[in-house]
């Protein structure tokens, strides 16, 4: 059984290349087909595709060193991982002046090996 010929897929220019169909553009841009359709319907072209506000990207964390007793950690995140708690927990403990809780958690971690 032969397939009925349908309308040919549209071609789109994005980043200097020609793509056949919205699915091909979406795969190249790393977005969904709905995003491609949105740009076409809203702006009439794909000039803004891929230049969004990038809310889903996190900036690299360059933390300040944290000293607890004789130990030093490159960041709060490194300290949190060492003692097995969340980053926010370490931040809250430091903000509240509860360095003794951090020190006891660090000692428990070292005893466990």
């Amino acid at each position: 059984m032969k397939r009925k010929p349908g309308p040919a897929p549209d071609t789109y220019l994005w980043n200097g290349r020609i793509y056949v169909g919205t699915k091909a553009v979406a795969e190249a841009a790393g977005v969904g087909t709905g995003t491609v359709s949105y740009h076409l319907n809203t702006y009439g072209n794909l000039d803004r595709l891929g230049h969004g506000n990038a809310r889903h990207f996190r900036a690299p964390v360059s933390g300040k060193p944290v000293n607890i007793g004789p130990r030093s950690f490159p960041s709060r995140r490194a300290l949190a991982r060492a003692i097995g708690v969340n980053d926010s927990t370490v931040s809250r403990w430091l903000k509240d002046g509860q360095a003794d809780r951090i020190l006891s958690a660090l000692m428990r971690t070292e005893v466990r090996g």
Side-chain angles (χ1 to χ4, degrees):
M1 179 175 234
K2 289 187 177 183
R3 193 175 143 188
K4 291 182 181 179
D10 293 326
T11 57
Y12 303 100
L13 177 65
W14 181 71
N15 276 357
R17 295 191 61 194
I18 296 177
Y19 296 92
V20 178
T22 57
K23 185 176 181 181
V25 176
E27 288 175 359
V31 297
T33 55
T35 303
V36 174
S37 296
Y38 168 80
H39 279 265
L40 291 170
N41 292 333
T42 304
Y43 308 114
N45 57 42
L46 298 173
D47 293 344
R48 297 180 185 198
L49 183 66
H51 302 329
N53 60 8
R55 289 183 305 221
H56 56 280
F57 293 112
R58 290 185 66 177
V61 177
S62 57
K64 297 178 182 176
V66 178
N67 297 317
I68 300 293
R71 302 269 318 260
S72 179
F73 296 89
S75 64
R76 290 181 183 192
R77 178 173 288 170
L79 172 60
R81 287 182 180 159
I83 62 176
V85 297
N86 288 332
D87 304 355
S88 58
T89 302
V90 168
S91 295
R92 188 178 68 246
W93 287 350
L94 289 171
K95 179 183 164 201
D96 294 343
Q98 298 179 351
D100 55 332
R101 288 184 81 172
I102 297 173
L103 188 57
S104 66
L106 186 59
M107 289 170 49
R108 279 194 306 269
T109 304
E110 289 178 354
V111 167
R112 289 183 200 148

